[in-house]
């Protein structure tokens, strides 16, 4: 949802990222392509009431094996 955009912007600053394109909303999240240290990354803010809230825990458990590597997580916000 678009209402998650300010949260994405705040975490982008917190994690030292810069925008690398326009962010976009889905039914359950707001995603924003960003860069940090030259690396192209994706910042995702899941709707706290949606189905994707636990995705960061799953990505952390997989540790990049068969999925994107989780670089940072704060509740329902992830950086991959």
């Amino acid at each position: 949802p678009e209402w998650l955009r300010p949260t994405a912007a705040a975490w982008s600053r917190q994690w030292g990222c810069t925008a690398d394109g326009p962010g976009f909303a889905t039914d359950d999240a707001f995603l924003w392509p960003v860069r940090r240290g030259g690396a192209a990354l994706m910042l995702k803010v899941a709707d706290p009431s949606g189905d994707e809230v636990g995705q960061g825990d799953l990505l952390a458990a997989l540790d990049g094996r068969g999925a994107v590597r989780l670089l940072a997580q704060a509740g329902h916000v992830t950086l991959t």
Side-chain angles (χ1 to χ4, degrees):
E2 187 66 32
W3 60 268
L4 295 170
R5 181 183 293 269
T7 302
W11 280 103
S12 177
R13 288 188 301 274
Q14 177 73 23
W15 287 332
C17 300
T18 56
D20 192 32
F24 57 95
T26 67
D27 288 341
D28 292 321
F30 185 84
L31 294 97
W32 197 2
V34 296
R35 288 202 171 264
R36 183 171 76 175
L41 306 171
M42 184 63 71
L43 190 149
K44 181 176 183 179
V45 182
D47 182 340
S49 65
D51 294 338
E52 300 183 27
V53 168
Q55 60 127 13
D57 296 332
L58 174 62
L59 292 174
L62 292 172
D63 195 28
R65 296 181 305 272
V68 295
R69 184 170 307 280
L70 180 66
L71 302 175
Q73 177 182 5
H76 61 282
V77 185
T78 57
L79 181 64
T80 58

